[in-house]
Amino acid sequence: MDTKNLILIGGGGHCKSVIEVAESAGFSILGILDTAENVGHKVLHHTIIGTDDEMINYVDKALFVITVGQIKDPALRIKLQQKVINCGGQFATIIASTAYVSKHSILGEGTVIMHQAVVNADAKIGVGCIINTFANIEHDAVVGDFCHISTGAMVNGNCTIGKGTFLGSQSVMVNGVNITEGCVIAAGAVVRKDIVIKGVYSGNPATLKIK
Ligand code: JB2
């Protein structure tokens, strides 16, 4: 198998951003899988070549990446990642040409580091994460599986983020704070102390809005 070939799962807005990233990193996109009504449509210069039922046809030809995005809830990304695994598929881990990723950091499979993001020394990023454009993951931070760290978010040194949490654009975690699993942190929120109850948080300091 040519590990520079990719099949993208999901052909919406997030897929466009991942195409930019993947091509900058030297990958070739064989095609996109989406829902039946979208087969044959184009996403930028690439074609939706089939549905998820056709994953099996590509396991020995390409690596996969989930390009359905994630605002709030990672359930669909988790389901699709599992479907790829069940077919025997393998995932690409993609780093944009303009991102900086420390050689002392660890990235999980299927994670995409978007343009201009930074992952600093000894940071650990789980599987299936989106580290979006201009996000900053500082030294020793730990990001759980299937998190989306949105555009321009700041995860400072020694922070930890539980599985499936969404960190909104330009939100900030001050040094060393922890956020539990499955939270939604609104754009611009400033997390100043540990968040231990799953929920939706916003403001500065970030406070619980919805449990
Ligand atoms: O089960 C599915 C499935 N369900 C929806 N399998 C596959 N392969 N694809 C699926 N989709 C497809 O995901 C939809 O048909 C559609 O083409 C795509 C979702 O596109 P949309 O543009 O609505 O959202 P997105 O997930 O690509 O992007 C969201 O998240 C990003 C992080 C948007 O909110 C973006 O603005 C955001 N940057």
Side-chain angles (χ1 to χ4, degrees):
M1 189 223 302
D2 184 341
T3 56
K4 280 294 186 186
N5 287 340
L6 285 184
I7 292 288
L8 308 183
I9 314 289
H14 184 58
C15 181
K16 292 181 182 175
S17 298
V18 175
I19 289 169
E20 291 287 342
V21 166
E23 292 187 335
S24 82
F27 286 93
S28 298
I29 293 159
L30 295 191
I32 300 161
L33 304 180
D34 200 283
T35 52
E37 65 271 23
N38 290 328
V39 173
H41 292 180
K42 288 268 187 195
V43 182
L44 304 180
H45 48 295
H46 297 289
T47 305
I48 297 177
I49 54 175
T51 68
D52 300 336
D53 292 338
E54 285 148 78
M55 282 175 190
I56 189 83
N57 300 329
Y58 298 98
V59 294
D60 57 353
K61 297 183 181 71
L63 298 177
F64 292 83
V65 61
I66 309 302
T67 49
V68 171
Q70 167 184 346
I71 306 291
K72 298 178 183 170
D73 186 358
L76 180 57
R77 286 176 59 81
I78 293 172
K79 186 179 111 183
L80 292 170
Q81 186 114 345
Q82 191 57 50
K83 192 160 185 172
V84 170
I85 292 167
N86 293 346
C87 291
Q90 295 174 272
F91 296 95
T93 300
I94 304 177
I95 301 172
S97 60
T98 62
Y100 179 79
V101 175
S102 166
K103 65 184 177 188
H104 303 290
S105 65
I106 296 172
L107 305 182
E109 60 181 16
T111 282
V112 180
I113 312 295
M114 311 291 276
H115 279 296
Q116 304 276 355
V118 172
V119 178
N120 222 326
D122 279 340
K124 293 186 186 62
I125 316 278
V127 307
C129 291
I130 304 166
I131 308 300
N132 221 326
T133 314
F134 282 116
N136 181 22
I137 312 296
E138 263 306 322
H139 68 89
D140 298 293
V142 178
V143 178
D145 297 344
F146 299 105
C147 286
H148 177 182
I149 310 302
S150 292
T151 48
M154 286 283 163
V155 177
N156 281 299
N158 293 300
C159 288
T160 71
I161 305 175
K163 179 177 178 179
T165 280
F166 170 82
L167 214 56
S169 293
Q170 296 202 326
S171 58
V172 176
M173 291 177 72
V174 303
N175 208 63
V177 297
N178 307 297
I179 299 177
T180 194
E181 290 186 6
C183 288
V184 174
I185 310 298
V190 181
V191 180
R192 296 181 177 276
K193 58 182 187 183
D194 290 357
I195 289 179
V196 296
I197 298 168
K198 180 176 172 177
V200 179
Y201 292 77
S202 66
N204 178 7
T207 51
L208 181 61
K209 298 297 187 258
I210 306 167
K211 252 192 200 178

